[in-house]
Amino acid sequence: MKIGKARKNISCFGSAELMRERGKNCLPALYLSLHEGLKMAKTDNGIRICQGLLILGNVVIGMCGIALTAECIFFVSDPHGLYPLLEATENNDIYAAAWIGIFVGFALLALSILGIVGVMKSSKTLLLVYIILMLITYAFEMASCITAATHRDFLTPNLFLKQMLERYMKSDTDNNNDKQMTEGVTKTWDNLMLQNQCCGVHGPLDWQEYTSAFRMTHNDADYPWPHNCCVMNTRSEPINLDGCKLGVPGFYNSNGCYDAISGPLNRQAWGVAWFGFAILCWTFCVLLGTMFYWSRIAY
Amino acid sequence: MELLGVLLALAGMDAAAGLALLPYVPRVAPGAMPGKVTATTFVLERPRCIFDPFANASDAVWLAVAFADASAAFKNPTSSAEVPPYEGLPTARAYMTLQMAAAAYGCSAPGAAVLRVGGDTACHGRAPCNGPLPSPGPYRVKFLLMGCGGPKAETKWSDPILLRRARSLSTIDPTPARRSSTAVVIAAILASLGAALAMAVLGAVGTQLCVPLCRRGLGAHLPYRTHHVPPALPHTLPPACVCGCTPRPPGPCPTK
């Protein structure tokens, strides 16, 4: 089927004028023109269906783009305050993936509108521009998904344990950058331990089993573990400091903070990766359909 | 007879020393407390009632702490002035601390059920000092009831108590055990979709560009609609006139 801009060529042998000239001798021609008309009507329906499907596909892409932008803005805003931990590990690529996701979402929205206009006008130029820009957006979103999925694997308990022992309450910092990262890590851990009532990565014994920067400035007898691990009263003081130092149940927090860290980070990484993957699968189908439609448009 | 004499002599020695050996063995507090043994402190169970038969109101109970290999050579001090101090631990390999009134170990004495050895970081030179232990040990402890005239009762030595030794944090290996299969799946599927898309675009653009070129080059037969005009039916047409001749009107045929 050929998709013409205006359906002028509907007669059997060519123009309608010649057909009139034929007069009675054109009975077979009449039959043929009717046949062609029916075929055109069927292909007309086919065109309509194709256009409808592509417009629907682009509408879905547009809405998914908005959702992706919203989701990535939520992640970048860091509601759990865990960004300093990742920054200190120098492994904050899942945040880079979320940033890319914001811009890809906007691009998908804009391109879906362009695609809808191009399909409705059956414009070869518009659709070519649409396809090329979509491919570039596709590449960026691919990068974002793969980055989020692979870098999530690096966030092991040992990574956070080592970083906590090296940086928490470190007093001798080398340079400004080091000082900033150390302060970020210390503040984040203090907030984590107070808000989630947890201690260390696996438990308070992390501070006993390994040497740490904390141990350099805080002696073992007074601080077997940081005082933020103690159960606090309303004035942010330990309710029983001696009980906390001994580890009497009820006066200290015995569970580790790893769940409080890995939960939000996993949700972020998988949210970006899987949602992006779903969008890309759908976009793949829509792009294939658009390319098929584009190749069938007559100039 | 001789045996009786030996026994009497031994009893006499004891009576002269006045030291009762209590069968109690000090031990680390039994509860589930992660802080009961740290790198510089440990927590003992507080014995109750054991000193009551021997203690006066003015007596004090001391804790003798010695390195495990020096406990056999430990000699009880004869008076409170000769108590080995905390600072002498590296040389004397023993010290005594935690001086408390004997009433604190009474049957109905209030207070915590545990004693923390090494918990006082603010005593400097002030005897008796319950300072943190300088090395992981192992240590052995015993309780000693001291009166005005010297030791009156003692418990047995405890089992060796080994303190925690912290590992260096450089032994922590943060690398992940293995790549998770989900990441591999996502990467593989996305890469193949991307490659398929790129090839599809190249193919579509290529055929669009190639079609006019290829047609010219190969002269391929492509179906295209012909505007076929059938030959006109023979109608009455005027005779062809050549060279400007004028048409003759039909006249009678020439006679022979």
Side-chain angles (χ1 to χ4, degrees):
Chain A
M1 76 176 177
K2 274 277 181 194
I3 302 162
K5 282 220 186 54
R7 280 170 290 286
K8 299 189 213 101
N9 308 329
I10 45 173
S11 66
C12 46
F13 292 129
S15 62
E17 299 84 56
L18 256 140
M19 202 184 118
R20 267 181 253 118
E21 260 190 278
R22 290 297 163 292
K24 284 187 287 190
N25 288 318
C26 213
L27 263 171
L30 196 62
Y31 163 75
L32 277 164
S33 83
L34 266 175
H35 177 73
E36 289 264 348
L38 269 171
K39 216 165 73 173
M40 234 359 157
K42 267 199 275 194
T43 53
D44 209 21
N45 278 339
I47 298 164
R48 286 279 182 233
I49 291 173
C50 202
Q51 280 183 327
L53 283 176
L54 285 178
I55 289 175
L56 174 70
N58 276 305
V59 163
V60 171
I61 289 179
M63 294 198 300
C64 287
I66 297 176
L68 183 68
T69 302
E71 181 197 25
C72 291
I73 288 179
F74 173 71
F75 286 139
V76 165
S77 72
D78 194 23
H80 296 273
L82 294 172
Y83 180 69
L85 292 186
L86 286 184
E87 191 187 20
T89 64
E90 279 143 24
N91 193 1
N92 55 352
D93 283 342
I94 61 173
Y95 275 89
W99 273 110
I100 294 178
I102 294 179
F103 295 115
V104 163
F106 273 129
L108 284 178
L109 175 65
L111 285 178
S112 70
I113 295 175
L114 175 68
I116 291 174
V117 168
V119 164
M120 290 206 308
K121 285 194 175 174
S122 292
S123 154
K124 226 162 157 106
T125 329
L126 274 183
L127 284 181
L128 185 62
V129 167
Y130 166 81
I131 289 173
I132 291 177
L133 288 179
M134 263 299 214
L135 277 184
I136 297 174
T137 311
Y138 197 92
F140 272 104
E141 181 60 18
M142 254 175 61
S144 161
C145 280
I146 296 179
T147 304
T150 54
H151 279 270
R152 151 79 212 65
D153 291 339
F154 286 107
L155 304 178
T156 55
N158 277 349
L159 177 73
F160 293 111
L161 178 66
K162 188 161 187 169
Q163 181 200 69
M164 176 185 82
L165 294 173
E166 277 177 350
R167 288 200 186 272
Y168 181 71
M169 299 260 193
K170 182 173 170 185
S171 54
D172 53 341
T173 49
D174 305 322
N175 53 35
N176 223 1
N177 190 30
D178 197 28
K179 184 158 172 279
Q180 232 173 335
M181 289 204 282
T182 299
E183 277 172 17
V185 169
T186 303
K187 219 188 309 188
T188 306
W189 270 105
D190 283 338
N191 280 340
L192 260 178
M193 294 200 282
L194 285 175
Q195 280 167 9
N196 297 298
Q197 276 99 47
C198 58
C199 186
V201 172
H202 298 114
L205 287 179
D206 289 340
W207 303 104
Q208 286 290 310
E209 282 174 10
Y210 296 99
T211 61
S212 55
F214 175 75
R215 189 56 67 224
M216 304 286 177
T217 47
H218 297 77
N219 62 64
D220 173 79
D222 283 333
Y223 294 91
W225 35 76
H227 285 175
N228 280 335
C229 293
C230 302
V231 175
M232 300 286 191
N233 60 15
T234 48
R235 280 174 300 161
S236 302
E237 294 160 356
I239 56 179
N240 187 335
L241 191 57
D242 288 326
C244 176
K245 285 195 235 174
L246 285 179
V248 177
F251 297 128
Y252 79 112
N253 299 317
S254 54
N255 47 320
C257 296
Y258 181 64
D259 286 337
I261 298 174
S262 73
L265 287 180
N266 270 352
R267 277 195 292 275
Q268 172 170 341
W270 290 136
V272 170
W274 280 118
F275 189 47
F277 179 75
I279 291 179
L280 287 181
C281 287
W282 179 262
T283 309
F284 176 77
C285 301
V286 171
L287 274 179
L288 277 187
T290 312
M291 280 192 267
F292 173 74
Y293 184 80
W294 176 80
S295 62
R296 291 288 172 201
I297 297 178
Y299 275 109
Chain B
M1 194 59 186
E2 282 180 4
L3 190 59
L4 190 60
V6 166
L7 278 173
L8 276 171
L10 279 172
M13 250 170 55
D14 249 345
L19 192 62
L21 179 62
L22 300 168
Y24 175 78
V25 176
R27 58 182 183 153
V28 172
M33 294 185 288
K36 59 184 179 182
V37 176
T38 72
T40 56
T41 67
F42 59 93
V43 170
L44 290 172
E45 182 189 45
R46 183 200 293 253
R48 291 195 192 281
C49 302
I50 59 168
F51 297 112
D52 282 352
F54 305 93
N56 294 332
S58 59
D59 293 340
V61 177
W62 289 78
L63 181 74
V65 181
F67 283 100
D69 49 1
S71 61
F74 179 78
K75 295 225 178 348
N76 293 333
T78 47
S79 70
S80 298
E82 289 178 22
V83 161
Y86 162 74
E87 292 76 12
L89 178 59
T91 47
R93 302 193 45 104
Y95 71 107
M96 285 172 64
T97 182
L98 274 184
Q99 179 194 23
M100 286 203 283
Y105 294 84
C107 293
S108 53
V114 296
L115 296 167
R116 192 164 189 237
V117 179
D120 190 359
T121 50
C123 66
H124 299 292
R126 176 176 46 87
C129 184
N130 185 17
L133 295 161
S135 78
Y139 298 96
R140 293 176 88 149
V141 299
K142 72 172 179 181
F143 289 95
L144 202 55
L145 177 67
M146 301 268 290
C148 303
K152 289 160 91 172
E154 64 174 7
T155 63
K156 292 190 177 166
W157 283 105
S158 68
D159 291 331
I161 299 172
L162 185 61
L163 300 183
R164 279 189 200 272
R165 206 186 305 240
R167 279 182 284 168
S168 167
L169 65 89
S170 54
T171 58
I172 304 175
D173 183 19
T175 55
R178 55 176 197 79
R179 174 85 58 222
S180 77
S181 53
T182 330
V184 171
V185 163
I186 288 183
I189 294 182
L190 285 185
S192 49
L193 287 185
L197 256 187
M199 286 204 301
V201 166
L202 285 177
V205 170
T207 41
Q208 290 289 312
L209 290 177
C210 179
V211 152
L213 296 172
C214 296
R215 198 187 298 176
R216 238 182 287 138
L218 302 171
H221 290 282
L222 285 170
Y224 54 92
R225 218 171 271 146
T226 56
H227 294 267
H228 181 63
V229 178
L233 295 168
H235 275 201
T236 52
L237 291 170
C241 208
V242 182
C243 302
C245 61
T246 52
R248 279 183 319 187
C253 304
T255 52
K256 283 205 291 242

